[in-house]
Amino acid sequence: MILLQRLRHANVLQLYGYCYQDSNDIPDTLTTITELGSPLEMIQLLQTSWEDRFRICLSLVRLLHYLAHSPLGSVTLLDFRPRQFVIVDGELKVTDLDDASVEESSCTSNSDCFMEFPARNFTLPCSVEGRCQNMNEKRNLYNAYRFFFTYLLPHSAPSSLRPLLDKIVNATGELHWGIDETAAQLERVLNLYKSGEYLQNTTRVPKAEYRRVPEAFIPDENYRCWPSYHHKGCLLSVFDVNEAIEICDSYSQCKAFVLTNQTTWTGRQLVFFKMASNHIVPDPDKITYVKVTD
């Protein structure tokens, strides 16, 4: 509870209050009241869009950057597993700080700074002050790599971002980077994605022509794609109309798409992709594009 009070950050579960009360004949039971989050289900996360999975990894890195530079010093999460986190409005938040530690391990030589994991071991340098250098930070970072980055970051990412994402995954897996560099690189990915710069190096020559139909929607004619924001249709996020055309051209069953007025957390527009345009209805909030040539 005290750590929740002291560690105030967007990716630390918010503490609303607490009280002492007797509970089941146990005197002075402490009850904390926090914001409500959904349990982190890795299987479900793997079925979501890359954009949402990237948000989870970005949330985690922002949290770890804060913990490395917190008012209490460098904080490590000794019990670092997905069940220690929840999702609140799409953001990852740590909820269990029972096993958090602010003590950097003492040492007399580098051999005292040994970190053991199931698949890898690391030896960190022992500082002249007799402390293992950045051990708390590096332990958090490697756990983020093995529990989150390897599963969530590269899979189904935009092809032009894959080299940078692979570099991030490899660098954290080998602990070549600290949290500052890792956070800077993930923020760079976010900027490339939000600005549309990641599309500049791709060849974007439309295979077909499209007719623009303003204030129109196709209510049916859905087909399924993966990953999709809609379980019964193909609803994806795009940076602009040109990217929507590129996506539609890449699906043989796509014959039209509908721009909605909904956006994702990065500001990208949500678009329905359709397999026909036989029934178009008026809708002031949408714009339909119909493929006229293949």
Side-chain angles (χ1 to χ4, degrees), residues 46 48-51 53 152-159 162 226-227:
L46 291 172
T48 62
S49 69
W50 175 82
E51 189 174 342
R53 284 184 275 116
L152 303 180
L153 262 186
H155 183 55
S156 73
S159 57
R162 278 298 296 268
W226 185 89

Side-chain angles (χ1 to χ4, degrees), residues 50-281:
W50 175 82
E51 189 174 342
D52 286 347
R53 284 184 275 116
F54 173 72
R55 187 181 188 183
I56 296 297
C57 294
L58 183 64
S59 299
L60 179 58
V61 164
R62 286 172 172 172
L63 169 67
L64 297 188
H65 184 269
Y66 171 74
L67 292 180
H69 305 284
S70 85
L72 304 179
S74 182
V75 179
T76 190
L77 304 175
L78 296 174
D79 188 6
F80 194 117
R81 284 176 288 180
R83 70 182 186 185
Q84 309 297 330
F85 300 89
V86 295
I87 297 177
V88 180
D89 296 329
E91 289 276 333
L92 186 76
K93 300 198 178 197
V94 64
T95 178
D96 189 351
L97 294 174
D98 290 350
D99 295 296
S101 172
V102 295
E103 290 293 324
E104 292 277 19
S105 298
S106 59
C107 58
T108 56
S109 67
N110 291 352
S111 60
D112 294 329
C113 302
F114 185 71
M115 288 198 305
E116 186 175 6
F117 296 97
R120 282 293 306 272
N121 299 324
F122 299 93
T123 300
L124 300 179
C126 179
S127 70
V128 293
E129 293 83 12
R131 295 288 177 180
C132 296
Q133 287 186 18
N134 302 322
M135 180 173 269
N136 286 350
E137 173 186 330
K138 293 293 182 76
R139 181 184 286 112
N140 285 343
L141 195 54
Y142 188 78
N143 279 324
Y145 157 81
R146 71 189 185 107
F147 285 117
F148 290 89
F149 296 169
T150 52
Y151 302 109
L152 303 180
L153 262 186
H155 183 55
S156 73
S159 57
S160 60
L161 291 176
R162 278 298 296 268
L164 179 53
L165 292 168
D166 288 340
K167 184 179 179 181
I168 292 170
V169 172
N170 292 335
T172 53
E174 297 295 328
L175 289 185
H176 292 325
W177 291 349
I179 189 60
D180 291 352
E181 181 64 20
T182 305
Q185 292 295 334
L186 272 174
E187 295 290 351
R188 181 184 169 205
V189 173
L190 175 64
N191 290 334
L192 289 171
Y193 191 64
K194 286 180 69 174
S195 67
E197 286 184 56
Y198 76 101
L199 296 167
Q200 291 181 1
N201 295 327
T202 60
T203 303
R204 306 176 70 186
V205 179
K207 298 176 183 177
E209 291 185 15
Y210 292 81
R211 176 169 55 92
R212 184 178 185 272
V213 186
E215 298 186 359
F217 178 60
I218 303 171
D220 301 311
E221 313 293 357
N222 289 311
Y223 67 88
R224 292 184 180 182
C225 65
W226 185 89
S228 171
Y229 285 95
H230 193 283
H231 68 284
K232 290 185 178 180
C234 188
L235 180 63
L236 305 174
S237 75
V238 302
F239 174 72
D240 58 14
V241 173
N242 290 328
E243 188 179 11
I245 290 173
E246 189 176 349
I247 293 172
C248 192
D249 283 347
S250 69
Y251 285 99
S252 59
Q253 64 267 56
C254 183
K255 304 300 179 186
F257 60 87
V258 181
L259 299 179
T260 73
N261 61 352
Q262 296 175 289
T263 57
T264 65
W265 67 279
T266 59
R268 290 164 59 88
Q269 200 165 8
L270 287 176
V271 177
F272 275 107
F273 293 87
K274 304 286 185 172
M275 62 182 183
S277 56
N278 299 323
H279 181 48
I280 299 178
V281 300

